[in-house]
Amino acid sequence: MTEKGSHDSVRSRFAVVLVLFLVTGACGLVYQQLWLRELSLTFGVTVQAVSTVLAAFFGGLALGGWWAGRLSRRTERPILWYGVFEVASGALAIVTPLLLSLAGAIYVWFAGSVTDSLGVLTMVRFVLTFGVLLVPATLMGASMPLIVSSSLLRSGPLGSRVSALYAVNTGGAVIGTVASGFWLIGWWGLERTFLVAALVNIAAGAVAVVAARRWDRVAPSETAMTRIAETATTLEPATSGASLSPAVQRLVLATFAVSGFVTLALEVVWFRELVLFLESSTYAFTVMLATVLVGITAGSAVAGPILRRWSGLRMLALVEVGTGLTALASFFLLSKTYGVINRADDVIGTGSLTLVIVASALAMLPATFLMGLAFPLGVELWVGTDRHDSGARVGTFYACNVAAGIAGSLLAGFVLVPVFGTRTSLVLLALAVVATGIALAWAALPRPRALVWTGATAAVTALVGVTLVPDPYVSVMYHRFPGEQLVWMADDAQTTVSIQRAGDALVMYVDGQHQANTSPEMVAYHRLLGTLPVAVHPDPRSALVVGLGGGVSPGAMSRAPGIGITVVELSAEVVEGARFLADANHDVVDRPNVEIRVDDGRNHLLLTDDRYDVITADVIPPTHAGAGKLWSVEYWELARDALAPGGVMVQWAPQANTRDYRMIVRSFLSVFPHVTAWAGGSMLVGSNEPITIDPAAVQSRLADPAWQPVLGDVGIVDWSAFAGMFTADDASLRAAIGDGPVLTDDRPRLEYYRTLPADDEGWLVGTVPVAPIETILSS
């Protein structure tokens, strides 16, 4: 084969690898989202549970990068191994649902038989998650070092080739994120999406195996490959890693450990702030994650051409300082979101998704673009021109970057944001990146120039920090809540909670979303939601409320004579915020018959051995991100199984449109053998036994001084008022709702509402049947 033919052959083979890397990158992000969702069903959505899942996943990636780097020294067929590992990843993804079910069973057994200590259970979650995800995540993390160690990357400028690999792999991650978040899960559900991604992954791996075997039989001549490599080396900038001392190369490695730490920590800070500006939907979070990946993809894509002209420590120092400064200015850019949207709306018209895209782009794209630009440059400096050990060195580089990212994510979620808040956390993280740029400048420049660099960088950083790091909540208040005054705000590891005054009412916001207020209409409805179950049950002694919110529902319930209530709330700061609404919630936080647990409500139902006379939940819109876990057949089955004999569950059923309402009621009916509708059909009461009402017992309560304020608070002052609350019996509901799709963990249809067919009918009169209360009176 001629030298020109060998060069063309290498380029065509590299193009094939790029396509495969794009596909497997997409599959990897699909897996990540599906694994996180599946594991949250068992382990919960507390920050501790989610953090352990992410730590196990990224830990596997880091281990895979390190291990593959060592493997690359011992194999001369890295592309073949890459293909084998991708086939294995796909095969393991197919059996992942089974393994996750097994892990869930072990977790439930351990909690019930050994201990219910939160610290111990957090460790158990990590061990089980690591056990399930270790092998597939390790295989996924092995890809980059294996490909870098192949002859395909010894025949061209390493930085340019790594930039292309990193760009297409991250670009594939963008495709996987958007496809699964916007369409696949909504269309097919979790299991079918797993299967499709796995089959695509296996196909890509098989192509790599076949191609590697073919390339082994038709290989470019060693002489031609050597000449190409020599030519590439002469084209590389003189300031590449070849001219760096081992100490300076270690500084480069340390820089990217800091970079990995800061990148994932900044994601936590950015996401916590963005939710204050945006809708709380799975689509908003999909756009946020995709924006981070798009920035990295774009930066990596342009790194190749840039590295052909500029490289070395000076360039890396400049990029690191730029990353820190753009991160520092990100809250200022975010605060301009509404101005950009208003101007665009005047021209083209915009919607809520446009707001998400603009806010995410303004806040995160500049910094993530520079992060993507820095990675290939760092690899080139760390590896140098010794291509024979490139796989091992890239494996070390990747492992350090990812492992530090785990620490960054955990520290930001558990320490930085709860202790310092998002604004100070942003400043600290940005300064860390700027500091690495200064350290690199001292290694690259003569001391007088390094002093000038340091002084100029410090001055610019101070200027940006003073003028371009606003309190983002000021912008939120001005644009989203005009006329309201902030009374109290706090961050914890789970969420951001604020109490604001709007006229005569207090309003609670959780992550910028309305949670509760003290307006008479809102208080009346929530009190009814808490009072109805104790009014229907003949002798309520124990109750479970999933979610505290403003506390009005459990507060109303807690006034029932002789009842003890357990409230399970995700956020400790929501509990503190509810104290401000004490007049409306009857001081529920400090009532002696109310126990408040900071935990995941569904996880509590999964693990508890307690049985309750009454179970209800706070008003949580089914379209909110993650809400599908509390709007599914499996969730209601957990609640049904936690009922004591004769117990009832009350479920709020929003009546936004006919399609969604029927789906909710149909799902509830599929779980509970006996269901009645109340309050115009907006509240469903389900039980394992027939639901009957004894008029004499109701009249007795109405005459009881202990019960009179409880019932009178919601307008139940006589039998006719009580009977007027009733809407429909079980038979009428089943006849009216009919057959059709239901909500399940696998198919969270309402959370992924954009994939549902349009409901052009709106709310139809007659959707809720009406029946007289006589149909459920006891004989």
Side-chain angles (χ1 to χ4, degrees):
M1 183 180 293
T2 66
E3 184 174 324
K4 181 178 183 303
S6 295
H7 196 283
D8 291 341
S9 176
V10 170
R11 292 182 65 180
S12 64
R13 294 176 186 183
F14 186 63
V16 171
V17 170
L18 287 178
V19 172
L20 296 177
F21 219 37
L22 177 81
V23 172
T24 55
C27 294
L29 256 292
V30 172
Y31 295 154
Q32 180 186 339
Q33 293 195 69
L34 294 175
W35 283 332
L36 186 61
R37 189 171 188 95
E38 288 271 16
L39 285 163
S40 70
L41 296 174
T42 299
F43 298 155
V45 293
T46 62
V47 67
Q48 294 88 353
V50 173
S51 296
T52 55
V53 171
L54 291 176
F57 175 73
F58 283 106
L61 293 181
L63 178 62
W66 177 85
W67 171 63
R70 272 69 192 156
L71 174 64
S72 67
R73 290 172 172 166
R74 301 192 301 272
T75 181
E76 301 198 358
R77 308 178 73 185
I79 299 297
L80 177 66
W81 280 109
Y82 161 70
V84 169
F85 288 170
E86 291 298 338
V87 170
S89 296
L92 286 171
I94 292 176
V95 301
T96 294
L98 178 62
L99 296 176
L100 294 175
S101 296
L102 178 61
I106 294 172
Y107 174 68
V108 172
W109 171 84
F110 193 94
S113 304
V114 181
T115 180
D116 60 356
S117 164
L118 177 61
V120 175
L121 289 180
T122 298
M123 183 58 65
V124 171
R125 290 169 182 151
F126 180 80
V127 171
L128 291 173
T129 303
F130 202 73
V132 173
L133 301 186
L134 174 63
V135 176
T138 298
L139 295 176
M140 291 163 61
S143 300
M144 177 75 81
L146 287 174
I147 292 177
V148 168
S149 69
S150 74
S151 61
L152 298 176
L153 268 76
R154 295 192 209 124
S155 59
L158 181 65
S160 299
R161 292 296 176 95
V162 169
S163 74
L165 282 170
Y166 197 46
V168 299
N169 192 246
T170 313
V174 174
I175 295 172
T177 299
V178 173
S180 58
F182 274 85
W183 298 293
L184 300 184
I185 296 176
W187 283 344
W188 297 336
L190 274 64
E191 289 190 13
R192 286 181 64 188
T193 301
F194 256 129
L195 181 60
V196 170
L199 292 177
V200 172
N201 202 162
I202 290 171
V207 170
V209 170
V210 172
R213 293 173 64 87
R214 177 184 171 86
W215 294 341
D216 285 342
R217 291 195 298 271
V218 188
S221 68
E222 187 66 30
T223 300
M225 291 293 292
T226 301
R227 289 179 181 173
I228 295 168
E230 289 173 351
T231 301
T233 301
T234 63
L235 292 174
E236 290 183 353
T239 51
S240 71
S243 60
L244 301 182
S245 68
V248 174
Q249 286 189 312
R250 287 193 292 272
L251 174 61
V252 171
L253 185 63
T255 295
F256 279 86
V258 173
S259 177
F261 177 95
V262 170
T263 298
L264 287 193
L266 278 174
E267 276 193 40
V268 173
V269 173
W270 282 331
F271 283 24
R272 285 291 293 272
E273 209 56 50
L274 278 163
V275 296
L276 300 179
F277 283 76
L278 309 174
E279 64 182 34
S280 177
S281 72
T282 188
Y283 302 108
F285 284 95
T286 297
V287 169
M288 291 181 214
L289 177 57
T291 302
V292 172
L293 297 172
V294 165
I296 293 173
T297 300
S300 301
V302 304
I306 289 175
L307 290 176
R308 295 190 189 102
R309 298 188 62 184
W310 300 287
S311 187
L313 283 177
R314 298 177 187 180
M315 182 65 181
L316 182 58
L318 183 63
V319 171
E320 289 299 305
V321 170
T323 301
L325 292 177
T326 52
L328 201 56
S330 60
F331 281 4
F332 170 78
L333 296 172
L334 178 61
S335 69
K336 301 302 178 184
T337 297
Y338 289 98
V340 173
I341 286 294
N342 289 338
R343 285 192 291 273
D345 192 52
D346 292 338
V347 179
I348 59 174
T350 58
S352 61
L353 195 58
T354 305
L355 176 64
V356 176
I357 294 170
V358 171
S360 300
L362 287 174
M364 298 184 291
L365 270 185
T368 55
F369 175 85
L370 292 174
M371 292 172 186
L373 177 62
F375 189 86
L377 177 56
V379 169
E380 185 176 65
L381 293 170
W382 168 247
V383 173
T385 56
D386 181 12
R387 303 299 178 82
H388 296 288
D389 199 32
S390 59
R393 293 185 70 81
V394 168
T396 300
F397 187 90
Y398 179 79
C400 288
N401 184 259
V402 174
I406 300 171
S409 177
L410 295 176
L411 189 68
F414 285 98
V415 179
L416 290 180
V417 172
V419 174
F420 300 108
T422 54
R423 186 185 186 190
T424 302
S425 298
L426 178 80
V427 172
L428 293 174
L429 294 169
L431 290 178
V433 182
V434 171
T436 63
I438 292 174
L440 290 167
W442 277 88
L445 300 172
R447 178 161 296 185
R449 294 179 63 184
L451 283 170
V452 173
W453 171 277
T454 302
T457 300
V460 173
T461 303
L463 180 64
V464 173
V466 170
T467 61
L468 299 182
V469 190
D471 182 348
Y473 208 77
V474 173
S475 179
V476 173
M477 290 285 296
Y478 179 78
H479 290 286
R480 289 196 61 193
F481 315 123
E484 297 186 11
Q485 294 82 44
L486 182 64
V487 176
W488 172 86
M489 186 176 72
D491 292 297
D492 65 8
Q494 192 71 40
T495 191
T496 298
V497 183
S498 67
I499 301 296
Q500 297 171 196
R501 182 170 296 281
D504 295 330
L506 289 174
V507 187
M508 172 185 281
Y509 294 98
V510 176
D511 285 336
Q513 310 303 315
H514 178 276
Q515 185 68 34
N517 68 61
T518 59
S519 67
E521 299 80 13
M522 179 69 70
V523 170
Y525 190 83
H526 281 258
R527 283 180 177 171
L528 178 60
L529 187 61
T531 304
L532 179 63
V534 295
V536 170
H537 193 283
D539 187 26
R541 295 295 173 181
S542 60
L544 172 68
V545 180
V546 176
L548 175 66
V552 175
S553 295
M557 186 186 296
S558 68
R559 302 174 73 202
I563 196 169
I565 302 174
T566 298
V567 180
V568 183
E569 167 56 49
L570 268 176
S571 170
E573 296 300 347
V574 168
V575 178
E576 291 304 308
R579 295 182 186 277
F580 288 87
L581 279 59
D583 289 344
N585 63 33
H586 301 295
D587 202 18
V588 65
V589 174
D590 295 313
R591 289 184 73 89
N593 62 329
V594 177
E595 176 193 9
I596 299 179
R597 299 183 182 182
V598 178
D599 198 356
D600 179 275
R602 174 164 172 158
N603 194 248
H604 175 80
L605 283 169
L606 180 68
L607 301 181
T608 187
D609 291 326
D610 295 333
R611 294 296 176 262
Y612 301 97
D613 295 322
V614 168
I615 297 177
T616 188
D618 189 31
V619 171
I620 302 169
T623 56
H624 278 195
K629 303 174 188 65
L630 298 179
W631 292 90
S632 72
V633 166
E634 290 84 355
Y635 163 70
W636 286 315
E637 286 174 344
L638 290 173
R640 178 197 64 194
D641 295 343
L643 288 175
V648 297
M649 179 181 188
V650 173
Q651 174 65 52
W652 170 61
Q655 298 173 323
N657 59 65
T658 300
R659 177 199 65 197
D660 295 357
Y661 181 78
R662 283 178 171 162
M663 207 180 304
I664 291 168
V665 178
R666 186 182 299 119
S667 304
F668 197 76
L669 287 168
S670 73
V671 173
F672 290 94
H674 305 281
V675 178
T676 55
W678 300 71
S682 68
M683 296 182 192
L684 304 175
V685 178
S687 181
N688 293 313
E689 289 82 31
I691 299 170
T692 59
I693 300 297
D694 182 355
V698 174
Q699 295 284 10
S700 176
R701 282 183 177 175
L702 289 169
D704 186 340
W707 273 96
Q708 283 175 349
V710 179
L711 301 176
D713 217 16
V714 294
I716 301 177
V717 294
D718 54 29
W719 168 254
S720 63
F722 179 83
M725 297 284 184
F726 179 75
T727 304
D729 62 344
D730 187 272
S732 300
L733 273 176
R734 294 183 191 276
I737 297 302
D739 297 329
V742 296
L743 303 170
T744 64
D745 289 343
D746 185 61
R747 298 293 304 276
R749 289 177 166 91
L750 294 185
E751 190 177 344
Y752 291 83
Y753 56 89
R754 288 181 180 269
T755 58
L756 290 172
D759 181 43
D760 298 326
E761 299 173 318
W763 180 251
L764 295 181
V765 176
T767 299
V768 182
V770 177
I773 197 171
E774 283 74 18
T775 57
I776 62 167
L777 297 184
S778 59
S779 56

